[in-house]
């Protein structure tokens, strides 16, 4: 009690803001958590150096794709925020799933994967997506789960058959899963990549440093933006360690967004649950590193973060933000850019067969 | 003289092979040179850490391409031997130039760049290629030089204008070229990337270790393959530090290869010199890391190194190799795989505008 009084008096002597900060930080600590400085553990799977090395190889391995030329890294570019920075409207080959790529950075902290949450965890996302036939994916919204299961099974089998012919992979799977008699199986591809992905975290963002007590880590505008972010209601969905990624919400709960943001034919999570209550419901995206993950929305409709903030305020909160409020919230959002993981490119085994389908 | 006698006697005492090795090594030393362990200097351009850092960013920068989604690294994948491992017949977007991608690894040691040698050095290759409009390239054989110069100029201007809007690049160019009043110019993009590419060298291949005196670095089969490689005449073109890359030759000098290897409509270096003597003449490719750079030939017609060796023996030397000879030559070629450069992925500045053309 005496300490608290002394602290309060010191804070008052130092000027008002320090005291206000303390209160804003307490509020923030109740809503958000910093990204940990070391990779989180995955339930039931222990990360070993051999597993992580294999996972990294596979993350960069074009031969995982049916077309033999698209790796995880092709769309989840680790130089550009774990996304490809493209817009759906560009019509690139890489945009196969009908929705904007979501970042792999900090994805381990999301409750589920994909915009509709159809993968329950990282491994599920891997084993049910990398094998997808791009041609089939182009015709479906939401990707691999819509593919004929027979075709998917055939493709998985073909990947394993191919990898068994690559001595370096036979060896790498043995080392990664030393207790298994037949380690080169499809499920282990997912396990290894998921473990590698746990290392793709971005600690030490200015916001996290501030959250942990460094008053100087945020500018006054960023603190004001954080306060607005909480007071306006943004934080009621965008909260937790990923400032999002923990729950689902109807997009357009107050006001229907324009069709470029919410096209009528993408029913979101309905496709997973078949419940009409989930029509136009999406996973709340993480705002971590949002500076790096343009374009925004599941449609990739805009590269303009201010515009994105405005659309969200209107459609989700029924709020019209002033230019100043928007600027401050964007200033806060830019404080969510963390330290990107240092990734040394793996060297992959030689290619011995053509990339044809 | 006395020393030589002692050495000879010692070699004889140690058994014949050591003496034979000495002779094969002397022969090899007259024909080949090891890859140096540190990056070579570029004429007139000093590598500084800031220039190399900028060059690496630009090498991985998708915004260098007119389509805004292809970096140098997209085709020169540093995880897969500096090539993309695709075959032209695959019809991928990335295959724009009408010929198989050549590796960027050790490219600094080539006399000129491209299959037809149309770029005199690395910088020339960069500044005359990265800006190319993929759509135009798809229609031309040989790529950017065939593009309307007006279009190319417009594109170069647009790149510079875009980069001037990215504060991190304005800063990076200032640091890389501190003595220049206007460092963010097109030519400096080429200089920085070329300098970064000098670091993409692969020293310490088994062959180089053997060349420098390590008798155990090559197997007996590999030594026999090297001897065949010299005796059959392969080394008359594939020699020097890059075991190729130093001169030009008519493909099919003894016997016309099948059209999948030498299509009639690609006249090779003729396009550069306009001399009929250069019809079907190509730069002799480096065989460094040939294990990693499949598919082979300027057409990418085969992934089978044995087949490639057979085609070359027949078409260039009029020789029919036995299966055993081919196996030995291939064993030698596999000793040309060096230590790949360790590349930490750069983190690129945020994207603020769509990738549309």
């Amino acid at each position: 009690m005496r300490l608290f009084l002394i602290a309060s008096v010191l804070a008052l002597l130092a000027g008002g803001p320090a005291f206000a900060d303390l209160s804003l930080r307490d509020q923030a600590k109740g809503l958000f958590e910093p990204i940990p400085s070391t990779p989180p553990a995955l339930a039931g799977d222990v990360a070993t150096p051999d597993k992580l090395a294999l996972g990294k190889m596979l993350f960069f391995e074009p031969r995982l794709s049916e077309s033999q030329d698209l790796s995880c890294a092709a769309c989840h570019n680790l130089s550009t925020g774990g996304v490809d920075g493209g817009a759906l409207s560009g019509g690139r080959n890489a945009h196969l799933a009908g929705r904007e790529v979501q970042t792999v950075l900090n994805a381990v902290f999301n409750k589920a994967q994909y915009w509709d949450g159809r993968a329950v965890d990282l491994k599920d996302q891997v084993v049910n997506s990398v094998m997808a036939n791009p041609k089939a994916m182009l015709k479906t919204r939401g990707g691999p789960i819509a593919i004929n299961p027979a075709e998917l099974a055939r493709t998985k089998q073909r990947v394993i058959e191919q990898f068994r012919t690559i001595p370096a992979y036979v060896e790498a799977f043995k080392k990664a899963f030393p207790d298994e008699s037949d380690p080169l199986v499809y499920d282990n591809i997912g396990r290894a990549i998921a473990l590698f992905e746990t290392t793709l975290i971005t600690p030490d963002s200015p916001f996290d440093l501030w959250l942990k007590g460094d008053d100087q880590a945020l500018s006054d505008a960023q603190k004001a933006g954080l306060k607005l972010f909480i007071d306006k209601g943004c934080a009621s969905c965008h909260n937790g360690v990923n400032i999002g990624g923990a729950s689902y919400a109807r997009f357009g709960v107050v006001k229907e967004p324009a069709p470029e943001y919410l096209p009528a034919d993408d029913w979101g999570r309905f496709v997973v649950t078949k419940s009409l209550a989930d029509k136009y419901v999406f996973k709340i995206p993480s705002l971590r590193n949002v500076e790096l993950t343009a374009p925004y929305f599941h449609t990739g409709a805009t590269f303009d973060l201010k515009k994105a903030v405005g659309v969200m305020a209107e459609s989700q909160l029924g709020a019209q933000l002033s230019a100043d409020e928007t600027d401050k919230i964007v200033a806060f959002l830019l404080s969510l850019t963390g330290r990107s993981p240092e990734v040394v490119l793996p060297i992959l085994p030689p290619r011995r067969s053509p990339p044809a389908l």
Side-chain angles (χ1 to χ4, degrees), chain A residues 48-51 54 168-179 183:
Chain A
T48 64
D50 286 328
K51 273 185 198 158
L54 173 63
Y169 273 119
V170 173
E171 191 53 35
F173 276 84
K174 265 189 206 158
K175 284 170 75 178
F177 302 98
D179 301 332

Side-chain angles (χ1 to χ4, degrees), chain A residues 24 221-235 317 321-322 324-329:
Chain A
L24 180 62
Q222 288 176 320
K223 289 174 198 168
L226 166 61
K227 193 164 159 41
L228 284 166
F229 189 83
I230 296 170
D231 292 348
K232 295 279 177 183
C234 314
L317 306 166
L321 300 177
S322 70
D324 181 62
E325 287 172 329
T326 306
D327 285 349
K328 282 174 177 156
I329 289 175

Side-chain angles (χ1 to χ4, degrees), chain A residues 42 55 108 122-123 126 189-199:
Chain A
L42 280 192
V108 63
L122 290 176
K123 194 193 88 172
V126 171
I189 292 177
R191 289 169 66 193
I193 293 178
L195 282 170
F196 170 65
E197 288 179 339
T198 66
T199 69

Side-chain angles (χ1 to χ4, degrees), chain A residues 81-105:
Chain A
V83 298
D84 66 350
L88 284 171
S89 52
R92 294 180 51 213
N93 275 356
H95 287 91
L96 306 173
R99 296 198 190 114
E100 192 54 34
V101 171
Q102 291 197 296
T103 183
V104 74
L105 296 178

Side-chain angles (χ1 to χ4, degrees), chain A residues 262-273:
Chain A
L262 183 62
D265 66 349
D266 184 349
W267 286 22
R269 192 158 166 75
F270 169 86
V271 177
V272 182
T273 63

Side-chain angles (χ1 to χ4, degrees), chain A residues 111-244:
Chain A
K111 183 186 177 173
Q113 305 302 328
Y114 292 112
W115 282 98
D116 52 19
R118 69 185 181 278
V120 297
D121 58 21
L122 290 176
K123 194 193 88 172
D124 187 24
Q125 195 275 332
V126 171
V127 297
N128 290 311
S129 83
V130 290
M131 286 323 101
N133 180 331
K135 286 172 193 165
M137 287 179 81
L138 279 171
K139 289 179 214 141
T140 61
R141 181 174 305 279
I145 58 157
I147 294 175
N148 182 320
E151 165 66 17
L152 188 60
R154 185 170 67 88
T155 310
K156 287 183 180 183
Q157 188 53 34
R158 203 150 55 191
V159 168
I160 294 303
E161 278 165 16
Q162 181 183 12
F163 274 54
R164 287 188 200 278
T165 70
I166 305 172
Y169 273 119
V170 173
E171 191 53 35
F173 276 84
K174 265 189 206 158
K175 284 170 75 178
F177 302 98
D179 301 332
E180 301 184 17
S181 60
D182 186 19
L184 211 172
V185 293
Y186 196 78
D187 201 56
N188 285 347
I189 292 177
R191 289 169 66 193
I193 293 178
L195 282 170
F196 170 65
E197 288 179 339
T198 66
T199 69
L200 303 178
I201 59 176
T202 65
D204 298 340
S205 70
F207 174 63
D208 284 1
L209 296 179
W210 178 85
L211 208 55
K212 292 196 226 173
D214 177 357
D215 285 341
Q216 308 305 313
L218 293 189
S219 69
D220 287 345
Q222 288 176 320
K223 289 174 198 168
L226 166 61
K227 193 164 159 41
L228 284 166
F229 189 83
I230 296 170
D231 292 348
K232 295 279 177 183
C234 314
S236 60
C237 284
H238 293 284
N239 53 40
V241 65
N242 254 359
I243 314 182

Side-chain angles (χ1 to χ4, degrees), chain A residues 32-48:
Chain A
F32 312 108
E33 260 179 81
I35 300 279
S37 52
T38 53
L42 280 192
D45 233 337
V46 178
T48 64

